[in-house]
Amino acid sequence: MNGKCKKPDRYKSNLPSTSVIICFHNEAWSVLLRTVHSVIDRSPAHLLKEIILVDDFSDMPHLKRQLEEYMTMYPKVKIIRAAKREGLIRARLIGAKHATAPVLTYLDSHCECTVGWLEPLLDRIGHDTKTVVCPVIDVLDDTTLEYHWRDSSGVNVGGFDWNLQFNWHALPEREKKRHSNSAEPVYSPTMAGGLFSIDKNFFELLGTYDSGFDIWGGENLELSFKTWMCGGTLEIVPCSHVGHIFRKRSPYKWRSGVNVLKKNSIRLAKVWMDDYAKYYFQRIGNEFGDYGDISSRLELRKRLKCKSFKWYLDNVYPELFIPGESVAQGEVRNNAFSGRYCLDSPARKGDTHKAVGLYPCHKMGGNQYWLMSKYGEIRRDEMCVDYAGSDVFLFPCHGSKGNQLWFYKPEEKLIQHGSSKKCLAISENKKKLQMESCNSKVLRQQWRFENFNATALLVT
Ligand code: UD2
Ligand code: MN
């Protein structure tokens, strides 16, 4: 552990106590018990008021009588059962309703809390009830179940992209400068969602979660945005470590037919993101479907007099790339072959070295949604089209031009690469992209960017 975390006078003496709320849906026996025991064993008894297990309508037999009988040995543990499948968001709200301590601490049902995890979290809330705090989330290996401790000197903070997907990024310079040592809590624009402590009254003041959110997803950004926009702060506390099993795929059944995550994200964007919501909507082809009634959430925001999303971006997350500051947004269509083909890449953030390819243009955004930045990058959020001499790839944006610099003149329609001076083309068999000596007469080298605005370009 970071030595600075151990200093005995580091924390307040009269910390508030907490109710730990753990929701589960069909969790494995050993994994759930590991979570509960780590909380009981590694939390100071006077700070742990109770552990509330919310069973979100599981059907595994070990989670019924067996669990109840086992937990009678631990009087602090209460089991509450949902009468139908609620999804994790409403299950968390059920847990909150039963909680009696001033602070709520949420954990996923496959965690391990480490020694000293709780005090540094409660300490922050003890100083300011509007501070929402997250531990550092370490990895519990999903096959060996081993705990991989991660040194908190290189702590990451939470962000998001315009698909409204949560992501991690390195601590920004401006935030590093605010601190004298690596044990100090750092501001984070967003939280991962599962593991955090919040003052119960503050959570209620913020309108808890949007209960129109279903099953899973989006609730973490909702709570993050409104914490910052409505007067609070969100921090990651390097002295607090909790391990979590990151699973490769979702182990439980989703209600088929509706895209739950998309519905949640639309509600989130419509209520909290003002004009910036449009960047998400473009990604989903402006198809909304039925996202329910959001009027009470809009009223909540008004009642709390929360700040604008622009304020949030300017002050809390200035690193985020804003699509509106780009020169083009949308598809990139080739002129050859009757204009049927578009630049297409299934790569997501973190997939390094995914080739950029071609696909019939579909006008649904997604893998064909590109942005040209005013610095001449062709971006998909934090990924950039990159050419290093062989194939054309998507690579994390580095901001240093070089292999990620592209020139486009709408008159010529050529996409010319900055360092090699070659031009992007479709191969003659229309199977792949290739780089060729520029010739503006070759249709295969002619491209059209959607919504291109040359005046915004800072490179020519
Ligand atoms: C992350 C969060 C998770 C939640 C989620 C959705 C972390 C480490 N994890 O994904 O807490 O915020 O993002 O945004 O930050 N569960 C139910 N009912 C359901 C589905 C899930 O009770 O219908 C429980 C589940 O047993 C687990 C918790 O909710 O304890 C979170 O689900 P997850 O572990 O599948 O989410 P995760 O970690 O992939
Ligand atoms: Mn989880």
Side-chain angles (χ1 to χ4, degrees):
M1 194 193 288
N2 187 323
K4 296 219 171 57
C5 297
K6 286 188 184 153
K7 276 194 7 213
D9 59 348
R10 191 167 176 89
Y11 306 118
K12 280 172 70 98
S13 54
N14 56 336
L15 294 175
S17 70
T18 188
S19 303
V20 173
I21 301 171
I22 301 169
C23 302
F24 62 91
H25 177 74
N26 285 344
E27 190 59 86
W29 176 254
S30 60
V31 170
L32 179 61
L33 260 58
R34 179 184 188 173
T35 311
V36 173
H37 280 291
S38 73
V39 174
I40 295 174
D41 296 350
R42 293 170 180 165
S43 309
H46 69 287
L47 297 180
L48 179 65
K49 182 90 187 278
E50 64 208 346
I51 298 176
I52 300 177
L53 297 180
V54 183
D55 171 14
D56 187 13
F57 207 58
S58 304
D59 50 24
M60 290 177 165
H62 65 256
L63 298 170
K64 309 281 169 182
R65 271 259 309 274
Q66 187 182 335
L67 184 68
E68 259 153 50
E69 283 170 9
Y70 185 90
M71 290 302 171
T72 54
M73 290 187 285
Y74 305 95
K76 281 195 180 174
V77 178
K78 298 176 186 158
I79 302 175
I80 291 156
R81 307 214 186 249
K84 59 176 181 11
R85 173 85 179 274
E86 295 287 357
L88 93 93
I89 295 149
R90 285 189 295 269
R92 282 187 193 154
L93 296 178
I94 293 174
K97 225 183 286 153
H98 288 82
T100 59
V103 174
L104 308 176
T105 298
Y106 285 98
L107 295 176
D108 278 6
S109 49
H110 32 261
C111 290
E112 180 183 326
C113 302
T114 62
V115 173
W117 74 289
L118 187 59
E119 299 91 323
L121 297 177
L122 297 178
D123 182 63
R124 297 304 293 167
I125 298 176
H127 277 99
D128 181 353
T129 55
K130 291 191 159 86
T131 303
V132 180
V133 283
C134 305
V136 172
I137 307 177
D138 291 319
V139 171
L140 300 180
D141 193 297
D142 69 342
T143 46
T144 66
L145 299 178
E146 205 179 336
Y147 196 110
H148 294 292
W149 179 275
R150 168 197 175 107
D151 176 13
S152 33
S153 56
V155 70
N156 279 339
V157 293
F160 67 91
D161 65 30
W162 294 105
N163 291 307
L164 301 186
Q165 300 274 344
F166 170 85
N167 57 31
W168 293 106
H169 52 94
L171 197 63
E173 279 309 314
R174 71 188 157 83
E175 180 59 17
K176 267 189 209 148
K177 287 200 193 109
R178 236 173 35 91
H179 301 283
S180 55
N181 74 68
S182 59
E184 287 176 8
V186 295
Y187 289 157
S188 182
T190 68
M191 65 159 88
L195 288 53
F196 65 97
S197 297
I198 188 167
D199 176 83
K200 191 169 186 241
N201 290 330
F202 186 53
F203 192 42
E204 277 159 15
L205 180 84
L206 290 178
T208 65
Y209 287 125
D210 178 351
S211 60
F213 277 27
D214 245 337
I215 310 283
W216 187 100
E219 92 294 345
N220 56 330
L221 298 187
E222 194 220 8
L223 186 56
S224 306
F225 293 169
K226 67 188 179 187
T227 294
W228 282 111
M229 289 164 65
C230 313
T233 54
L234 176 59
E235 296 181 342
I236 292 178
V237 180
C239 289
S240 173
H241 278 246
V242 176
H244 169 264
I245 304 178
F246 292 88
R247 285 171 294 199
K248 292 192 183 72
R249 57 183 186 86
S250 175
Y252 33 78
K253 287 201 191 77
W254 293 61
R255 204 180 323 132
S256 55
V258 264
N259 185 339
V260 170
L261 182 58
K262 180 173 148 188
K263 180 183 161 200
N264 294 353
S265 299
I266 291 171
R267 293 180 68 89
L268 167 73
K270 292 238 174 206
V271 175
W272 294 102
M273 294 172 64
D274 305 327
D275 219 20
Y276 293 86
K278 67 176 182 236
Y279 301 130
Y280 171 63
F281 297 154
Q282 286 164 4
R283 306 308 174 87
I284 56 168
N286 288 296
E287 276 298 330
F288 299 119
D290 178 13
Y291 56 89
D293 179 9
I294 54 167
S295 54
S296 66
R297 304 309 287 181
L298 289 167
E299 263 163 46
L300 168 80
R301 180 172 169 186
K302 213 157 130 198
R303 179 157 42 85
L304 293 177
K305 300 195 170 58
C306 305
K307 296 191 179 86
S308 68
F309 200 67
K310 181 174 184 347
W311 174 90
Y312 168 80
L313 292 178
D314 289 347
N315 293 280
V316 182
Y317 199 10
E319 292 78 23
L320 184 68
F321 167 70
I322 314 268
E325 294 171 8
S326 60
V327 181
Q329 305 122 39
E331 63 172 33
V332 182
R333 187 185 287 255
N334 193 277
N335 268 357
F337 311 113
S338 330
R340 274 176 41 232
Y341 291 96
C342 278
L343 270 196
D344 190 296
S345 171
R348 297 256 170 271
K349 188 182 155 96
D351 291 350
T352 48
H353 249 84
K354 269 270 165 91
V356 179
L358 295 161
Y359 202 75
C361 302
H362 55 46
K363 281 278 175 205
M364 291 189 291
N367 295 341
Q368 295 184 359
Y369 191 87
W370 301 97
L371 299 155
M372 181 170 237
S373 77
K374 54 191 173 190
Y375 305 108
E377 298 151 315
I378 302 175
R379 300 180 66 123
R380 161 87 43 80
D381 297 315
E382 302 310 316
M383 302 290 277
C384 278
V385 178
D386 189 301
Y387 173 65
S390 56
D391 285 334
V392 182
F393 282 112
L394 266 191
F395 213 73
C397 300
H398 50 49
S400 338
K401 302 201 158 83
N403 291 343
Q404 296 183 353
L405 175 63
W406 302 87
F407 297 104
Y408 179 74
K409 293 200 188 75
E411 317 82 69
E412 292 179 335
K413 303 193 176 55
L414 297 173
I415 300 181
Q416 187 178 26
H417 187 233
S419 49
S420 69
K421 303 287 177 232
K422 288 186 180 169
C423 280
L424 189 69
I426 298 193
S427 63
E428 278 168 41
N429 65 6
K430 57 189 175 187
K431 287 227 161 63
K432 62 184 204 78
L433 287 176
Q434 61 190 28
M435 300 298 293
E436 299 177 351
S437 310
C438 299
N439 179 348
S440 58
K441 302 221 165 55
V442 177
L443 274 184
R444 294 179 298 98
Q445 291 190 17
Q446 296 182 3
W447 300 88
R448 277 167 293 154
F449 276 92
E450 206 172 341
N451 303 315
F452 189 81
N453 168 15
T455 56
L457 206 55
L458 297 181
V459 286
T460 39

